[in-house]
Amino acid sequence: MVKVKIYAEGGGDGQLLDTLFRQGWTEFFKKAGLTGKMPSVVRGKGRRRTFDLFKTAITNPKADELPILLVDSEDPVKAGHTVWQHLKERDDWDKPTGADDNHAFLMVQVMETWFIADREMLKTYFKSDFKDDKIPQWPKLESVTKQAIYDALDKATAECKTKKYTKGKISFEMLALLDPNKVEAACPAAIRLLDRLRAI
């Protein structure tokens, strides 16, 4: 049986963040129906380091292991562009030897886009001080810019004294609470990732 190893972007230092990161993805993938064929997730921390770890894995393949890259798109993905075309244009990353379109996936445009897809999770996590009306009802979430997503979360959690939105501990805790069905309903790139994992 092939073991999937996902090299995922996710910053910060320390064992606590490593643990919360793995727990977050594990819970998300379980709820997405992947129990029994769960991928392992490697926290790449910075974007470039994540790609470098993936590149090393894909160019030095193990017979029973399938490396997958998962990073934010950071910017809109042009119509008709593959993930590798986007990463070449935006980051100047060349597709490594041995990689194809089934080895690279994007969170469009950032992980926080997925959070906004599940407003019930946001309300549950941030509780009564969360201001849902500060987040627009965007019809196409993946078309919303990274900065607009961040600004909306900042405004919606501005009065949440102990849990104002930040990357790291809070974002990884939120990942564990996400409903994959809601993410897939709003984010086609998430469908592509989860369908691929389910098919392995």
Side-chain angles (χ1 to χ4, degrees):
M1 183 176 176
V2 174
K3 179 67 175 177
V4 178
K5 184 173 281 190
I6 299 177
Y7 294 85
E9 184 176 2
D13 293 311
Q15 187 173 351
L16 174 61
L17 292 184
D18 287 342
T19 299
L20 290 173
F21 181 83
R22 284 193 302 271
Q23 288 175 345
W25 280 114
T26 296
E27 288 303 313
F28 180 78
F29 288 138
K30 278 182 183 175
K31 286 183 281 187
L34 292 169
T35 300
K37 49 181 176 180
M38 289 288 291
S40 63
V41 183
V42 176
R43 185 163 76 100
K45 299 183 181 179
R47 183 178 182 81
R48 179 71 209 199
R49 182 174 180 271
T50 303
F51 174 66
D52 288 342
L53 289 170
F54 165 78
K55 184 176 178 181
T56 297
I58 197 75
T59 54
N60 298 278
K62 296 180 181 178
D64 61 347
E65 190 173 286
L66 174 62
I68 283 178
L69 176 68
L70 179 61
V71 293
D72 295 336
S73 72
E74 298 283 342
D75 295 317
V77 180
K78 291 181 179 176
H81 269 206
T82 67
V83 172
W84 287 116
Q85 286 172 323
H86 176 79
L87 293 174
K88 175 62 178 175
E89 185 172 284
R90 190 198 177 277
D91 298 278
D92 199 27
W93 293 352
D94 292 312
K95 181 169 64 175
T97 301
D100 60 30
D101 289 343
N102 285 319
H103 288 101
F105 296 83
L106 299 171
M107 291 176 279
V108 181
Q109 298 183 30
V110 285
M111 176 188 277
E112 286 79 4
T113 305
W114 291 13
F115 296 159
I116 288 178
D118 187 355
R119 289 177 184 246
E120 288 307 310
M121 179 277 293
L122 292 173
K123 293 173 187 175
T124 298
Y125 185 83
F126 291 107
K127 303 193 184 331
S128 60
D129 289 331
F130 178 73
K131 305 298 182 188
D132 185 57
D133 61 348
K134 298 296 183 182
I135 301 178
Q137 295 288 341
W138 288 298
K140 292 185 178 180
L141 265 184
E142 290 189 339
S143 69
V144 181
T145 66
K146 170 181 170 179
Q147 193 57 55
I149 293 287
Y150 288 162
D151 288 347
L153 282 172
D154 280 344
K155 290 173 183 175
T157 63
E159 295 179 26
C160 302
K161 304 298 187 295
T162 59
K163 280 188 177 179
K164 188 177 188 301
Y165 181 73
T166 57
K167 282 184 170 292
K169 180 178 181 291
I170 284 176
S171 63
F172 300 156
E173 288 175 347
M174 290 167 64
L175 175 61
L177 299 174
L178 261 183
D179 181 343
N181 292 324
K182 291 179 180 176
V183 177
E184 288 185 278
C187 303
I191 298 175
R192 180 173 175 267
L193 170 67
L194 292 172
D195 280 354
R196 170 62 175 150
L197 295 175
R198 291 170 183 138
I200 294 170

